[in-house]
Amino acid sequence: MLGLRAAIEIPSVSEQEDKRDNVFQVWFPTQIFSVPTITPNTMQMAKWLVHEMESLGIEVKQKALGKQPGKDIDLPPLLIGRYGSDPTKPTILAYSHYDVQPAALSDGWDDEPFELTEKEDGRLCGRGTSDDKGPLLNWLNMIQAFQKAGQDVPANLVFCFEGMEESGSQGLADALKEESTGEFAKIDSVCITDTAWSTTNRPNLIRGLRGIMFYHININGADGDAHSGAFGGALSEPMTDMVNLMASLVDSQGRILVPGIYDDVLPVSAEERKALGEIEMSKDSLDGGINGKLLHEDQADDLIARSRKPTLSLHGIERASPGKGASTIIPGRILGRFSIRIVANMDIKKIDSLVQTHLKARFQQLGSKNELSVQLTGRGDWFFEEVDHWNYQAAIQATEKVWGVTPNITSEGGSIPIALDFKKVLNSNVVLLPVGRADDHTHSENGKYPPQYFRTVRLICFITEKLDRSNYINSVKVYGTYLEMASKNWKQ
Amino acid sequence: MLGLRAAIEIPSVSEQEDKRDNVFQVWFPTQIFSVPTITPNTMQMAKWLVHEMESLGIEVKQKALGKQPGKDIDLPPLLIGRYGSDPTKPTILAYSHYDVQPAALSDGWDDEPFELTEKEDGRLCGRGTSDDKGPLLNWLNMIQAFQKAGQDVPANLVFCFEGMEESGSQGLADALKEESTGEFAKIDSVCITDTAWSTTNRPNLIRGLRGIMFYHININGADGDAHSGAFGGALSEPMTDMVNLMASLVDSQGRILVPGIYDDVLPVSAEERKALGEIEMSKDSLDGGINGKLLHEDQADDLIARSRKPTLSLHGIERASPGKGASTIIPGRILGRFSIRIVANMDIKKIDSLVQTHLKARFQQLGSKNELSVQLTGRGDWFFEEVDHWNYQAAIQATEKVWGVTPNITSEGGSIPIALDFKKVLNSNVVLLPVGRADDHTHSENGKYPPQYFRTVRLICFITEKLDRSNYINSVKVYGTYLEMASKNWKQ
């Protein structure tokens, strides 16, 4: 606990300035804008960590990532550590991050967030306990445990500890590419511990993440807005086309209407469906804590729809032409936004072609006199990992041995971009091995949505980040067992 | 011209403060808000006008309208004048207004807007020349002309001159109701001269104005917005229902799809269609000056669609639930806005019932789990006048006699609420008798759309308000002839 206590006390907030640090502020008449900056705290955290790592015999390279884009501030370094180089063992890259989300007692925390507070019920409270200082330090705790027991660590380890994860992992993707032929050249597999269980009571391993394709529909009817009294009936109105196009994309049961879009989607096995049906889900984790109306009565159908199937959401329609915002205008130019969440094995190019073809055919059918353009403005691929791989199997076996239950193998609806980066750049199997639980409230302070979709508690009620002592202790064991099983499986 | 010159020099702007007057300003850090107020100039204009009217023998009552709603400022008075009380003549109420739109040389006027500038081409330039000081003063000029010629004015006149027309006619409707059993009790007909020709080269009389029914569609799916990655596929999304409902209202050719909505619409006669086809229209007056795409190639079809038929315009969809404005959210609650322009003889109650029934049936068909409510949030009735009435016929005959051409009888797409107020409250035939031409640029300075839909000039190019000398002179003759013909027709 000593290491964790010291780590929590360094407020290494990468996203915002820390109140206790020198922050430069710009005065505007109506508001104070605090310019986000990398605080010395992040650097201090890196320095502390290097010291801890080196004291265990880990070789550390502090990889400079240059300036923060658009700012004259150095990014915190990527810490690359090496421990062991036995050619008879697999080499596993372990990813964690040493920066944290902002936090303040005044946000409603039960205790000072940048101090470790141990509760009687076993909670270790403090910013970063679960996301991600606890999971990070446990790699060091594990090495220390092997050292104290006089045993070899069962695998070679390459650490990749970043300090900008909570601020978009700036600089990481480039560094990964650079090191793919350098420090990360001889990696056998990757283990990411920056996640938590999908529930509060049962461990799981995440094998799938959805990708996204983001679209703009532009419809141009006129150079400006028109008065609907004077011109209603005379002009071809873009809104009419837009709602028709949008209505042709998805129905009220959530089925995407673009022909062919489901063709390459991987089927869900009966086994997977059964497992999804058995996960204990709270009402909030099902409806988002916002009293959402569920499309599926059956839990397995619900979880399949939101993680293993593509979905299409219409986000909005914006006026894109100048004009007074009178409530009865005919908007002359409008922009519609929608996105498709994609899953294995959908091909972005192919899907884009299907979407474009469909929308253009529908527009043709409308016989509109307006002009249409459809643009794919953003994209991120899906992630879907081979669970039969020795790396994944090692994580499953370690979880079984330590927790005494077989973990659920789940997919998530959202994305964790670094998982895909590791997989694509290093061409390696990537296991997402959660440490904390669904109710750890890792991003709670500023109302952000947690990355895991079936978190069980309303954020508004509980905002103190915690890591359960049992998870803290057991994850040291899980890590060690994982390396042991990985080494064993890898040999076979 | 002397009277007009003096009138123009009083900047009786009802909507905004005048730069030459004491205006109180409130300082906010980033902006100066000028609090709109009734300037003493409006009061000064009323005072000047009362003097002019009384010097001609008109009995004037200055009807106080109380304070401006929400402000501690007196509204400018309604000037009610009486001239003549011969029981053998009809009594005609003439409506005009003595306030004007704002204007400044710096807005791009050719000359000082609050001075009368006579141009060699016959234009009388200055704010209010056409809207509405010229048309107002011509009633006085006409009386003076009869007096100088030693002749009786052919009808009894009741004047209703207001000072808040450019600011929403605040106080007028209530005053009308009060005086319907008082000063306006024995009115035989009404003549409104606060309009202009629909074209630049040929007089017309406006017989029809469209009404409006304004709708809100509320769709409630959740108490807040959800993350489309985490919840896309799980939740019933209001946007999907909304675009489906909206798409069921109108098609890309502008046809309203609500069953029964056209049932009571008055047919357009072959004669009217022919006349509409023959009006000289510029490109800008057809497409709004914004390069709008026309639904109808035939001009008569176009003008019928925008003035004699109902139309339905979709104005927009707004998020109505709280949440961060991320671009990939699933909006939990949304508000859709649309309006229907209605024409004679559509009944608001009946149409509302058709719309509600249609939308609810369509929603039922969608099988959505969300909640729908449809609200008629605003309404204004259509205006469609009997042109066979002696009052209208008098205006037609006067126009023919003075201008030498039969005026087009037109309908407009927008509304002039006071016309309907006069008609409904006084239960009287109301003729809209235009004085100026379509290119008088009456509301040009602040980018407002002109009330007439087929104005022929882009506002951005010409902003100097003018009244052609020929229109100024001839309207005195038109007024006199109109009274003469009205008196004659009324007797028959």
mmCIF file of all heavy atoms in Angstrom, chain B residues 9 24 38 75 81 170 176-177 179 319 387 441 465:
data_model
loop_
_atom_site.group_PDB
_atom_site.id
_atom_site.type_symbol
_atom_site.label_atom_id
_atom_site.label_comp_id
_atom_site.label_asym_id
_atom_site.label_seq_id
_atom_site.Cartn_x
_atom_site.Cartn_y
_atom_site.Cartn_z
ATOM 1 N N GLU B 9 -38.412 64.222 -41.257
ATOM 2 C CA GLU B 9 -37.353 64.734 -40.387
ATOM 3 C C GLU B 9 -37.541 64.366 -38.910
ATOM 4 O O GLU B 9 -36.640 64.592 -38.108
ATOM 5 C CB GLU B 9 -37.230 66.255 -40.579
ATOM 6 C CG GLU B 9 -36.555 66.571 -41.924
ATOM 7 C CD GLU B 9 -36.500 68.049 -42.261
ATOM 8 O OE1 GLU B 9 -36.912 68.874 -41.419
ATOM 9 O OE2 GLU B 9 -36.056 68.372 -43.379
ATOM 10 N N PHE B 24 -30.889 54.801 -22.488
ATOM 11 C CA PHE B 24 -30.060 54.261 -21.421
ATOM 12 C C PHE B 24 -29.435 52.951 -21.878
ATOM 13 O O PHE B 24 -30.044 52.127 -22.528
ATOM 14 C CB PHE B 24 -30.799 54.108 -20.089
ATOM 15 C CG PHE B 24 -32.045 53.298 -20.132
ATOM 16 C CD1 PHE B 24 -32.029 51.973 -19.754
ATOM 17 C CD2 PHE B 24 -33.246 53.868 -20.543
ATOM 18 C CE1 PHE B 24 -33.191 51.230 -19.760
ATOM 19 C CE2 PHE B 24 -34.407 53.130 -20.561
ATOM 20 C CZ PHE B 24 -34.388 51.804 -20.172
ATOM 21 N N ILE B 38 -39.133 53.545 -26.248
ATOM 22 C CA ILE B 38 -39.925 54.440 -27.091
ATOM 23 C C ILE B 38 -39.277 55.808 -26.979
ATOM 24 O O ILE B 38 -39.246 56.401 -25.903
ATOM 25 C CB ILE B 38 -41.377 54.509 -26.600
ATOM 26 C CG1 ILE B 38 -41.954 53.103 -26.508
ATOM 27 C CG2 ILE B 38 -42.223 55.379 -27.528
ATOM 28 C CD1 ILE B 38 -41.770 52.274 -27.743
ATOM 29 N N LEU B 75 -46.539 53.689 -24.262
ATOM 30 C CA LEU B 75 -46.679 53.436 -25.692
ATOM 31 C C LEU B 75 -47.109 54.732 -26.365
ATOM 32 O O LEU B 75 -47.816 55.544 -25.759
ATOM 33 C CB LEU B 75 -47.732 52.355 -25.936
ATOM 34 C CG LEU B 75 -47.338 50.926 -25.546
ATOM 35 C CD1 LEU B 75 -48.573 50.027 -25.514
ATOM 36 C CD2 LEU B 75 -46.303 50.378 -26.523
ATOM 37 N N GLY B 81 -59.003 59.879 -35.593
ATOM 38 C CA GLY B 81 -59.508 61.144 -36.160
ATOM 39 C C GLY B 81 -60.872 60.942 -36.802
ATOM 40 O O GLY B 81 -61.167 59.868 -37.332
ATOM 41 N N GLN B 170 -48.046 46.823 -30.727
ATOM 42 C CA GLN B 170 -48.408 46.607 -29.321
ATOM 43 C C GLN B 170 -49.541 47.545 -28.892
ATOM 44 O O GLN B 170 -49.485 48.736 -29.118
ATOM 45 C CB GLN B 170 -47.183 46.814 -28.419
ATOM 46 C CG GLN B 170 -46.144 45.707 -28.625
ATOM 47 C CD GLN B 170 -44.895 45.907 -27.798
ATOM 48 O OE1 GLN B 170 -44.974 46.258 -26.630
ATOM 49 N NE2 GLN B 170 -43.752 45.681 -28.406
ATOM 50 N N LEU B 176 -58.567 48.242 -30.514
ATOM 51 C CA LEU B 176 -59.578 47.975 -31.539
ATOM 52 C C LEU B 176 -60.847 47.413 -30.901
ATOM 53 O O LEU B 176 -61.964 47.830 -31.226
ATOM 54 C CB LEU B 176 -59.060 46.942 -32.528
ATOM 55 C CG LEU B 176 -58.421 47.421 -33.817
ATOM 56 C CD1 LEU B 176 -58.098 46.224 -34.703
ATOM 57 C CD2 LEU B 176 -59.362 48.367 -34.547
ATOM 58 N N LYS B 177 -60.629 46.436 -29.995
ATOM 59 C CA LYS B 177 -61.780 45.818 -29.339
ATOM 60 C C LYS B 177 -62.558 46.857 -28.536
ATOM 61 O O LYS B 177 -63.784 46.920 -28.605
ATOM 62 C CB LYS B 177 -61.317 44.664 -28.434
ATOM 63 C CG LYS B 177 -61.174 43.360 -29.205
ATOM 64 C CD LYS B 177 -60.568 42.248 -28.370
ATOM 65 C CE LYS B 177 -59.833 41.257 -29.280
ATOM 66 N NZ LYS B 177 -58.721 40.605 -28.628
ATOM 67 N N GLU B 179 -62.680 50.079 -28.956
ATOM 68 C CA GLU B 179 -63.336 51.086 -29.793
ATOM 69 C C GLU B 179 -64.365 50.491 -30.755
ATOM 70 O O GLU B 179 -65.050 51.234 -31.451
ATOM 71 C CB GLU B 179 -62.291 51.878 -30.573
ATOM 72 C CG GLU B 179 -61.328 52.684 -29.689
ATOM 73 C CD GLU B 179 -62.026 53.789 -28.863
ATOM 74 O OE1 GLU B 179 -63.203 54.111 -29.156
ATOM 75 O OE2 GLU B 179 -61.392 54.302 -27.916
ATOM 76 N N ARG B 319 -32.279 19.402 -29.640
ATOM 77 C CA ARG B 319 -32.131 18.565 -28.455
ATOM 78 C C ARG B 319 -32.806 19.257 -27.293
ATOM 79 O O ARG B 319 -32.660 20.449 -27.106
ATOM 80 C CB ARG B 319 -30.674 18.372 -28.100
ATOM 81 C CG ARG B 319 -29.996 17.304 -28.919
ATOM 82 C CD ARG B 319 -28.528 17.304 -28.616
ATOM 83 N NE ARG B 319 -28.285 17.007 -27.229
ATOM 84 C CZ ARG B 319 -27.295 17.517 -26.510
ATOM 85 N NH1 ARG B 319 -26.470 18.374 -27.055
ATOM 86 N NH2 ARG B 319 -27.124 17.178 -25.258
ATOM 87 N N VAL B 387 -63.913 40.204 -52.933
ATOM 88 C CA VAL B 387 -63.568 41.303 -53.848
ATOM 89 C C VAL B 387 -64.797 41.882 -54.543
ATOM 90 O O VAL B 387 -64.721 42.947 -55.161
ATOM 91 C CB VAL B 387 -62.520 40.875 -54.895
ATOM 92 C CG1 VAL B 387 -61.185 40.610 -54.222
ATOM 93 C CG2 VAL B 387 -62.976 39.658 -55.678
ATOM 94 N N HIS B 441 -37.992 49.349 -50.758
ATOM 95 C CA HIS B 441 -37.004 48.994 -49.708
ATOM 96 C C HIS B 441 -37.403 49.513 -48.345
ATOM 97 O O HIS B 441 -36.634 50.164 -47.650
ATOM 98 C CB HIS B 441 -35.610 49.524 -50.066
ATOM 99 C CG HIS B 441 -35.266 49.292 -51.487
ATOM 100 N ND1 HIS B 441 -35.358 48.040 -52.060
ATOM 101 C CD2 HIS B 441 -34.877 50.134 -52.456
ATOM 102 C CE1 HIS B 441 -35.032 48.137 -53.330
ATOM 103 N NE2 HIS B 441 -34.739 49.386 -53.604
ATOM 104 N N GLU B 465 -34.755 53.778 -48.711
ATOM 105 C CA GLU B 465 -36.208 53.752 -48.899
ATOM 106 C C GLU B 465 -36.632 54.940 -49.750
ATOM 107 O O GLU B 465 -36.126 56.057 -49.583
ATOM 108 C CB GLU B 465 -36.924 53.811 -47.545
ATOM 109 C CG GLU B 465 -38.451 53.775 -47.684
ATOM 110 C CD GLU B 465 -39.181 53.721 -46.335
ATOM 111 O OE1 GLU B 465 -38.539 53.369 -45.332
ATOM 112 O OE2 GLU B 465 -40.384 54.031 -46.315
#
